[in-house]
Amino acid sequence: MCDCRGNRLKTIFQLMCQLLWVVGMIMAMGGVSLLMKYRHYSLFFSQTYILLPVVFTICSAAFLLFAGFLGTWLSLRDSRCLLGLFVYLLVVIFCVGSTASALAYVHSRKLDSDTASLSEVFQKYTGSSQDRNSRIVDVTQEELHCCGVRNYTDWLDSSWLNKTGGDVVPRSCCNTTFLLCKGSLYQPWKLYHQGCQVKLEMAFQFILQFIMWTSLLGFLTEVVLLYMTTQMMMEERFKYQALSNT
C-alpha cells in the first residue's frame, strides 16, 4: 500500500517537474522577446533600466529548466540529499522569479516615462533614407500602423514639415488599405490615426504582462512541488525507519 502511494506520488512529481520545464521555456521566450523588442526600438528609450526584467526573467527561466531536469531525474531515484537541494533551488527560483515579476510590473506602469525620448526622435526626422533616425521613424510607423507621437497632427508642428513647407506627412503614415495614399493632410482618412507612443507601449505592455502571468504560473507550480517534495522526504524517512526496525 505504501509502495503504491509512493509510486503514485513520484509519477505526479515527475509530471509537475515537466510542467516546470515547460514554464521555464515559456518564460525564456518572454525574456528573449522583450530583449529583441527593446533592441529594435532602443532609440525611443531614455534609459536602459527595462533590461532589468530581461536579466531576471532569463535567469529565472534557466533555473526553472535546470530544476525541471533535476526533479525529473529525482523522480527516478531515492536521495534525500538531492531532494533537499531541489527544495533550496525552488526557493531561489521563487526569489528570482518574484523579482522578475515585480520589475515587469514596475516598468509596465512607467512605460510613458521610459519612452520619453520618442518625441525627440520624431522631431529630428529629415525624411532621408541615409539618416538613422528617419529610417527608424518610418519603420516604426509602418510596423506599428501608427502616425506621429500621439496622432498624425503631431507632424503639423514638426521641424521636417516646417522645412519642406508642404502639407504632406511621411509616406509611412499611409494606411496600407489605401493604395493611392501620398500622405496628404487634406486626406486624413487615408492616414493612421493612432499615435506611435500608444502602440509602442501596448507592444511592451503585452510582453511585460506575459512575463508576470508566467511567473505566477511558475510560482503555483513551485508551491505544489514544495508540498510534494515534503511528502517524498517523509516517505523516505518512513522507509528508513522501517528498515532500521527490521
Side-chain angles (χ1 to χ4, degrees):
M1 182 70 179
C2 184
D3 288 341
C4 291
R5 183 177 181 276
N7 291 334
R8 186 165 57 248
L9 191 65
K10 284 188 176 182
T11 301
I12 299 173
F13 180 80
Q14 186 177 30
L15 291 174
M16 293 303 297
C17 286
Q18 291 175 358
L19 176 60
L20 200 68
W21 193 83
V22 172
V23 172
M25 289 291 293
I26 296 173
M27 185 167 284
M29 289 172 54
V32 172
S33 296
L34 183 59
L35 177 62
M36 298 301 292
K37 187 72 71 174
Y38 171 79
R39 289 185 62 184
H40 192 57
Y41 297 110
S42 60
L43 193 64
F44 300 137
F45 285 83
S46 54
Q47 303 290 340
T48 60
Y49 296 130
I50 199 170
L51 289 177
L52 286 175
V54 173
V55 174
F56 280 93
T57 299
I58 292 177
C59 287
S60 179
F63 281 125
L64 283 167
L65 290 172
F66 178 71
F69 172 77
L70 178 62
T72 304
W73 185 59
L74 278 174
S75 65
L76 303 175
R77 59 191 301 119
D78 298 329
S79 175
R80 292 184 62 188
C81 180
L82 290 177
L83 281 173
L85 175 63
F86 184 73
V87 170
Y88 177 75
L89 186 59
L90 288 178
V91 173
V92 172
I93 292 171
F94 172 76
C95 295
V96 178
S98 298
T99 304
S101 181
L103 288 170
Y105 175 78
V106 168
H107 283 280
S108 69
R109 305 295 295 179
K110 59 189 287 288
L111 279 172
D112 55 342
S113 59
D114 287 341
T115 57
S117 60
L118 191 72
S119 299
E120 298 177 11
V121 177
F122 272 71
Q123 280 295 326
K124 295 176 182 178
Y125 183 82
T126 61
S128 172
S129 59
Q130 305 299 320
D131 180 42
R132 179 170 177 262
N133 277 31
S134 299
R135 288 199 311 270
I136 290 177
V137 168
D138 285 329
V139 168
T140 300
Q141 292 189 144
E142 290 171 356
E143 289 182 349
L144 300 181
H145 295 173
C146 57
C147 185
V149 179
R150 293 177 300 276
N151 52 56
Y152 73 95
T153 59
D154 290 334
W155 287 107
L156 294 173
D157 301 323
S158 66
S159 57
W160 175 73
L161 200 67
N162 292 333
K163 288 178 182 178
T164 57
D167 55 2
V168 178
V169 297
R171 289 286 186 92
S172 55
C173 277
C174 288
N175 193 318
T176 53
T177 56
F178 298 98
L179 300 178
L180 299 178
C181 174
K182 295 182 178 180
S184 174
L185 288 171
Y186 295 113
Q187 296 177 318
W189 60 87
K190 293 184 178 182
L191 308 175
Y192 293 120
H193 284 209
Q194 200 165 15
C196 292
Q197 184 159 14
V198 173
K199 287 293 190 84
L200 190 65
E201 289 177 8
M202 287 173 60
F204 277 88
Q205 194 82 252
F206 175 80
I207 301 177
L208 291 169
Q209 289 182 355
F210 178 83
I211 290 173
M212 286 187 285
W213 284 108
T214 306
S215 298
L216 177 60
L217 178 60
F219 170 71
L220 295 175
T221 308
E222 290 159 29
V223 170
V224 175
L225 281 170
L226 280 171
Y227 172 76
M228 296 188 70
T229 304
T230 304
Q231 295 297 312
M232 290 175 66
M233 293 179 75
M234 290 176 64
E235 288 284 336
E236 290 294 322
R237 181 180 299 175
F238 290 148
K239 285 182 180 180
Y240 179 75
Q241 290 177 349
L243 288 172
S244 299
N245 293 332
T246 58

